Amino acid sequence: MQISMWVPYDENQLRRTLQFILRPQLRLIRVLGGVLVALGVALLAVKPLSSLAYVAMILGLLFVVAVAPITVALSMRMQSNVIRDGFHMTLDDEWVTLTYPLAESRFRWAGLGRAIETPEVWYVMFGKLQAITIPKDPMTEEQRTTFAAFVNGLQPAGK
């Protein structure tokens, strides 16, 4: 397999990738927020004028509603300016190579944890928090089919 393509910078795709990576951690925070809201409601039922109940409900609502967008926004701001020029991606039988104008990253397929396919991209995971987004738009239909078969052959059954 030898696929080579130019990938322009896409802020919306970067945001979706960050949401994908952060989803497990943010899910736990939302659950904790729900528990705090329930605790606040229970405290209000027992002691209607309890300030602790209102604090628990407000914190719980913040955890459920506000933490995820704030975390993604902060993560977006923390990204290096190097990525804003787009990059050249090369996929071959041994490596994923990302070449930016000012930097280069290479990952061996042997380190692949899992690959998740969506209608727009593949998220190729090298660990729990390291994901490479491989967009489908710059690829031809033949390249998509070749890559899908290649990455499916790399993953253990059930992943």
Side-chain angles (χ1 to χ4, degrees):
M1 172 187 67
Q2 181 69 33
I3 300 172
S4 186
M5 62 186 152
W6 174 256
V7 181
Y9 175 71
D10 183 347
E11 187 170 324
N12 292 325
Q13 182 57 56
L14 177 60
R15 181 173 278 106
R16 287 190 298 273
T17 300
L18 289 169
Q19 290 169 337
F20 173 80
I21 293 169
L22 295 170
R23 186 177 47 202
Q25 292 83 6
L26 294 175
R27 186 178 307 132
L28 176 62
I29 290 171
R30 285 188 178 118
V31 168
L32 292 174
V35 169
L36 280 174
V37 169
L39 178 64
V41 169
L43 282 172
L44 279 178
V46 173
K47 190 175 177 186
L49 297 177
S50 171
S51 59
L52 181 60
Y54 292 106
V55 169
M57 287 187 350
I58 290 169
L59 278 176
L61 286 173
L62 285 173
F63 281 15
V64 169
V65 176
V67 170
I70 291 169
T71 303
V72 170
L74 288 173
S75 296
M76 288 289 293
R77 279 196 282 162
M78 290 174 21
Q79 298 301 310
S80 172
N81 286 334
V82 168
I83 68 169
R84 298 196 193 285
D85 293 329
F87 60 94
H88 187 265
M89 177 180 283
T90 305
L91 309 168
D92 61 35
D93 291 334
E94 193 172 348
W95 295 95
V96 177
T97 305
L98 310 172
T99 306
Y100 295 90
L102 299 175
E104 182 175 275
S105 295
R106 291 178 54 161
F107 298 86
R108 275 191 198 269
W109 288 114
L112 177 69
R114 62 188 173 128
I116 294 113
E117 184 177 3
T118 70
E120 298 174 340
V121 300
W122 283 276
Y123 293 111
V124 180
M125 304 294 295
F126 292 92
K128 292 183 180 182
L129 295 177
Q130 180 68 52
I132 295 174
T133 304
I134 300 177
K136 293 181 177 181
D137 281 347
M139 293 180 172
T140 66
E141 193 59 43
E142 181 183 339
Q143 288 173 327
R144 290 178 195 175
T145 303
T146 300
F147 181 73
F150 175 77
V151 81
N152 287 335
L154 290 174
Q155 296 186 97
K159 280 196 175 182

